[in-house]
Amino acid sequence: DAQFRDWGWRIPFLVSAVLVMVGLYVRLRIAETPAFQAVLEREEREKVPVLALFAHHWRPTLAGALAMMICYTLFYMSAVFSLSYGVHALHLPRPGLLAGLCIAVVFMALATPLAALAADRFGRRPVLLAGGVVAALSGFLLAPALGSGSLPLITLFLTLELFLMGVTFAPMGALLPELFPAKVRYTGAGAAYNLGGILGGSFAPYIAQVLSAHGGLNWVGDYITIAALISLAGVLAMPETRDRTL
C-alpha cells in the first residue's frame, strides 16, 4: 500500500499516455469517410455542430446515452464498488479480489468481439436487448453473491457482470455513429457516449455506497436492475441501424 501511494499510482497514467499518443497517430493518419468527404465537398459542414445536434438530433442523442448507461454501471459496480465493499465491509484480502477482477476482465475482452460479430449478423438492437435483459436479472444476484463473502462466488459474479459489459459495449462503436447524419455524426456519437458515461458511471459507486448503508446489498442490486431497464428503454426508442447507409 505504501509503495502504491508513493509512486505506483503513476504507472497506469504513464502507460495510458502512450496509448493516447498511439490513438492520436492513428487519428491523424486515417482518411475521412466518403460520407463526410461528401459533406465537405457540398460545403454542408455545421459551424457549431453541438448546437445543431441538440437542436435537431436530441432524441437519438438521449436514446444513445441511455443505451450506454448500463455498460458503465456494470463496470463501476464491479471494478469500484465490489472491490471497496469486499475489502472494507467483508474484510476480504484486496489481492484476492483484484485477482478475481483480472479473471473477470478476460471474459469482458472475450465478450466484446463476440457481441460485435453478433451485432453485425443479427442487428444492434437484438444484442443490446438481450444483454440488457440479462443485466437487469443479474442485479438480483448481487446480494447473494457479494454478501456470501466467498471469493470464488464473488469472482463468478464479477465475471458475469463484466461479460455483460462487453456485450452491451461492443455494438456501440457502430450503433452510435449510425444514429446521426454525417454532418453531426462525430459530435453526436461523442456526446451520446460521454453522456452515457456520466449517467451510468460517474456517481454509481457513491450511490451504491449510500444504498448499501441504508438498505443493504439488495438495494444495490436493484440499482443495477433499474439502470438496465433505463438502457432497455433507450434501445427500444431507437431504430435498428445495421443496414443503414452512411
Side-chain angles (χ1 to χ4, degrees):
D1 285 347
Q3 290 178 332
F4 181 81
R5 291 186 176 92
D6 185 33
W7 55 268
W9 63 270
R10 294 181 172 88
I11 296 176
F13 289 94
L14 294 174
V15 174
S16 68
V18 176
L19 292 177
V20 169
M21 296 305 296
V22 172
L24 179 61
Y25 173 80
V26 171
R27 180 63 189 91
L28 293 175
R29 299 280 294 182
I30 198 169
E32 297 293 355
T33 63
F36 188 71
Q37 190 62 43
V39 169
L40 295 178
E41 292 173 358
R42 294 194 299 264
E43 298 182 353
E44 295 176 347
R45 185 167 53 176
E46 294 285 351
K47 293 182 179 180
V48 187
V50 69
L51 295 181
L53 178 72
F54 288 107
H56 306 292
H57 308 283
W58 62 268
R59 288 184 178 86
T61 302
L62 179 60
L66 294 180
M68 280 292 307
M69 182 175 174
I70 184 57
C71 172
Y72 280 100
T73 299
L74 290 170
F75 179 79
Y76 282 97
M77 287 297 188
S78 302
V80 179
F81 171 75
S82 296
L83 179 62
S84 175
Y85 187 87
V87 172
H88 298 293
L90 302 177
H91 307 292
L92 294 172
R94 182 182 284 111
L97 287 168
L98 289 173
L101 274 173
C102 288
I103 294 172
V105 166
V106 172
F107 285 86
M108 181 183 74
L110 292 174
T112 302
L114 293 176
L117 290 171
D120 280 344
R121 180 172 182 180
F122 303 109
R124 314 335 182 183
R125 292 175 85 243
V127 175
L128 291 172
L129 290 173
V133 169
V134 179
L137 295 174
S138 76
F140 297 104
L141 300 177
L142 184 142
L146 191 56
S148 70
S150 166
L151 276 175
L153 193 57
I154 292 173
T155 299
L156 186 62
F157 174 74
L158 295 177
T159 298
L160 172 63
E161 297 300 270
L162 291 185
F163 183 88
L164 290 172
M165 185 208 166
V167 171
T168 55
F169 179 80
M172 291 301 173
L175 170 67
L176 294 181
E178 290 167 349
L179 291 174
F180 303 95
K183 59 185 178 181
V184 293
R185 182 167 296 146
Y186 190 87
T187 303
Y193 182 91
N194 287 286
L195 184 57
I198 293 171
L199 294 174
S202 59
F203 297 107
Y206 174 75
I207 294 173
Q209 194 68 35
V210 173
L211 291 175
S212 66
H214 289 82
L217 290 176
N218 284 318
W219 283 21
V220 181
D222 292 342
Y223 182 84
I224 294 177
T225 299
I226 292 171
L229 293 176
I230 293 173
S231 286
L232 285 171
V235 175
L236 290 172
M238 64 177 64
E240 176 56 58
T241 61
R242 182 189 61 168
D243 298 322
R244 179 171 292 180
T245 302
L246 297 180

